[in-house]
Amino acid sequence: MSNYHIKQFEEYFQVYRKSVRNPEQFWEEIAEEHFTWKKRWSNVLSYDFKKAEFKWFEDAKLNITENCIDRHLHTRGDKTAILFQPNNPDEEAEHISYRHLHERVCKLANVLKDKGVKKGDVVCVYLPMIPELAISILACARIGAIHSVIFAGFSATAISSRINDCNAKMVITSDGSYRGSKTIDLKGIVDEALNDTPSIESVLVVNRINSDVYMKEGPDVWLQPLLDDAYAECTAEVMDAEDPLFILYTSGSTGKPKGMVHTIGGYMVYTAYTFKNVFQYRDNDVFWCTADIGWITGHSYIVYGPLANGATSVMFEGVPSYPDYGRFWDIVEKHKVTQFYTAPTAIRALAKQGSEFVEKYDLSSLKVLGSVGEPINEEAWHWYDENVGKKKSPIVDTWWQTETGGIMITPIPFSTPTKPTYATLPFIGVQPALMDENGQELKGNQVEGRLCIKFPWPAMARTIWGNHKRYQDTYFSAYDNMYFTGDGALRDEVGYYRITGRVDDVIIVSGHNLGTAPIEDAINEHPAVSESAIVGFPHDVKGNALYGYVTLKDVGESRDHGNLRMEINQLITDRIGPIAKLDKIQFTEALPKTRSGKIMRRILRKIAANETDQLGDTSTLLNPEVVQDIINNVK
Ligand code: ATP
Ligand code: MG
């Protein structure tokens, strides 16, 4: 029987047991039945945790774009593959069919070849959320080039350091981008970045905003005229399952971003299989993941996972607040979106605006809601459930990482009973373990420890580009024979997992280990609070004490809210205990975040410890002005 689509809770358990009892046989069946290979593997899996070496579907040959595009042409050539919704609500949405996608990918692939890009070369893609972004990465995959997408909000220095880290040969960019009411001069940023990047031979420029940009003679060329002349067929390069597909940098929440390398075969199988099940995708559904393709969420669940299933995937160019805070819901109504996948930071920002924006739209098409990126606090979960899902669409709180390639801990909608703040159960084939500080596995339920994964899964990253030692040290040296995630988690009485925060952020107060998520969750319950972050700072008696940074829904005139401080500490006392009370509370306009929208507690920790001269790598910081404001207003 095929295990490709799980529809019931009982079936989840059966398939899960099968997948861990004999992982090789399980993944072999999935790979065999649902994908197109040019040559079969000689071995499903070989691995060595000590050397940090993992191979899935060894010796198999394939091209991922044939799986994501070509094989759908007979059955659903006219179906929309990518549904592009421009930033401007008055600009028409574009429906790109599988057939049309095939043509556009082939043309661009031929342009890349003409420009001298070969199998194994690295191409950096610095584009806004326009179809060319998805088409560029697929064109790279078509010819065996390795794509490295850089989120189009990064600065020139962040771009040049990423280009130099991987010796990229080409950059694909655009003249500019639309973001809400603003335009951004992307080409100018690239020009600045390229002052210091000797490996770059050419720059392909997409015309998005019709701006009169400087084009350096030689390397810089407009893309459209080349596409107009390009041939619409391009034979897919025959790739090894373990050839690199892409390099992608982590968000930089806990330190310098890591250039994770994903390979083709395992990544394809796992992202496709998770997509199908975690979102219960059915043939006529319209799936929308609001992430940018600049992050792993966009790679796996806007491009590869959906397309491998022949799905319709929405790509949105704009921002949730333009022209107003109803934009997401306007798009859901307009395109009858069935699955909606977003991040807690967006949910909190929208909840802060109240429910009036949501109520204006017909959201009855929605079947499944998803969350990813950070722990979702209980208040935000309920807001999402009640206002967006109308209490009838299950919320999948999906825990995973750039490193894991695909979703790892998640409910299966309509099967797994959900529970706010809990990512619930491991996905098929995923074997989590909670470890204590001494390297012992915590068995049974009602335990809390460091989250590890004790068996390889197909989409795991294979290395850090150019630095295998860092890969080994970061993920495989803390515990023998397992992958260490860097996150803390607890397992409740029924075996559900809750992510409690980053291990780096755990605070030891009077000998007790306190994770950040449950305390922040308690603070966020206060009706006046929008978001919060807690960190530790040195304390004579307790070792560490807690410092809370709290953003209010409505800031008001004064920053001194005496009662609010007491009320917040009362909430913490009631929900967690007096041990977790905050010694200091600072009300802030906003919190420092990564460009992917995650709270950067490491910066707040430095501010609390009065070490503002040692903020560390801030290249991925979204809002430096907020950091300065917080420093100026330290309690
Ligand atoms: P860096 O590794 O550079 O510090 P990062 O960890 O933020 O950055 P990502 O790979 O984008 O980079 O994020 C993965 C992390 O996001 C996870 O390790 C976890 O801490 C957090 N995360 C993702 N999804 C969830 C979720 N559903 N619940 C709780 N935390 C989540
Ligand atoms: Mg990380």
Side-chain angles (χ1 to χ4, degrees), residues 603-617:
I603 295 209
L604 295 171
R605 195 153 56 228
K606 291 290 179 190
I607 299 175
N610 200 14
E611 293 169 356
T612 48
D613 53 336
Q614 302 163 38
L615 294 183
D617 186 307

Side-chain angles (χ1 to χ4, degrees), residues 250 254 258 401 403 502:
T250 57
T254 57
K258 302 167 279 267
Q401 310 177 295
E403 295 86 338
R502 316 282 182 142

Side-chain angles (χ1 to χ4, degrees), residues 417-589:
T418 58
K419 178 174 175 183
T421 75
Y422 282 74
T424 74
L425 295 170
F427 187 72
I428 306 301
V430 174
Q431 303 189 33
L434 295 180
M435 306 297 291
D436 72 11
E437 277 115 276
N438 308 316
Q440 295 301 312
E441 182 173 351
L442 300 158
K443 302 271 176 142
N445 288 340
Q446 290 189 296
V447 289
E448 181 169 351
R450 300 171 176 209
L451 178 61
C452 292
I453 312 290
K454 53 186 177 178
F455 196 82
W457 64 100
M460 64 195 300
R462 302 297 196 261
T463 191
I464 291 178
W465 185 263
N467 198 346
H468 196 70
K469 176 136 197 324
R470 187 173 177 208
Y471 178 66
Q472 238 173 328
D473 291 349
T474 311
Y475 307 106
F476 303 98
S477 66
Y479 302 101
D480 286 343
N481 290 317
M482 49 179 82
Y483 166 84
F484 172 48
T485 66
D487 287 338
L490 62 79
R491 193 161 51 225
D492 76 357
E493 62 288 353
V494 299
Y496 273 16
Y497 288 85
R498 176 183 191 180
I499 308 302
T500 50
R502 316 282 182 142
V503 169
D504 283 9
D505 294 336
V506 164
I507 309 157
I508 305 174
V509 178
S510 308
H512 297 269
N513 280 342
L514 300 177
T516 52
I519 304 174
E520 290 164 4
D521 191 33
I523 301 171
N524 296 356
E525 280 298 294
H526 194 288
V529 172
S530 168
E531 281 192 313
S532 61
I534 60 153
V535 298
F537 68 100
H539 186 278
D540 290 346
V541 182
K542 301 192 260 192
N544 289 291
L546 298 180
Y547 193 131
Y549 297 86
V550 176
T551 308
L552 302 179
K553 286 183 182 147
D554 185 4
V555 184
E557 289 295 289
S558 143
R559 282 183 186 238
D560 185 38
H561 306 265
N563 285 340
L564 206 49
R565 290 199 164 81
M566 271 167 42
E567 288 164 18
I568 286 172
N569 268 329
Q570 191 57 48
L571 266 171
I572 296 175
T573 308
D574 294 346
R575 302 199 54 180
I576 295 160
I579 181 87
K581 272 175 35 178
L582 310 179
D583 273 44
K584 291 187 185 176
I585 299 181
Q586 179 176 349
F587 294 107
T588 65
E589 293 279 346

Side-chain angles (χ1 to χ4, degrees), residues 4 35 67-69 71-72 76 79-82 98 101 138 267-268 270-276 279 281-283 285-289 296-314 339 341:
Y4 193 68
F35 301 89
N67 282 275
C68 289
I69 309 173
R71 69 172 163 141
H72 304 309
R76 37 172 90 86
K79 179 176 174 179
T80 302
I82 292 175
Y98 275 91
L101 182 65
L138 292 163
Y267 176 82
M268 172 183 77
Y270 194 78
T271 52
Y273 186 56
T274 47
F275 174 77
K276 176 75 185 167
F279 301 106
Y281 186 85
R282 306 272 177 146
D283 233 357
D285 288 350
V286 176
F287 176 82
W288 182 19
C289 164
I296 190 70
T297 307
H299 277 58
S300 303
Y301 300 110
I302 295 177
V303 184
Y304 290 111
L307 298 183
N309 283 283
T312 297
S313 179
V314 176
Q339 288 91 350
Y341 191 29

Side-chain angles (χ1 to χ4, degrees), residues 250-258 296 371-376 397-403 423 485 487 499 501-502 594 596 598:
T250 57
S251 292
S253 307
T254 57
K256 186 174 184 287
K258 302 167 279 267
I296 190 70
S371 170
V372 60
E374 282 185 297
I376 178 166
D397 178 0
T398 62
W399 173 86
W400 59 297
Q401 310 177 295
T402 309
E403 295 86 338
T485 66
D487 287 338
I499 308 302
R502 316 282 182 142
T594 63
S596 58
K598 295 159 195 254

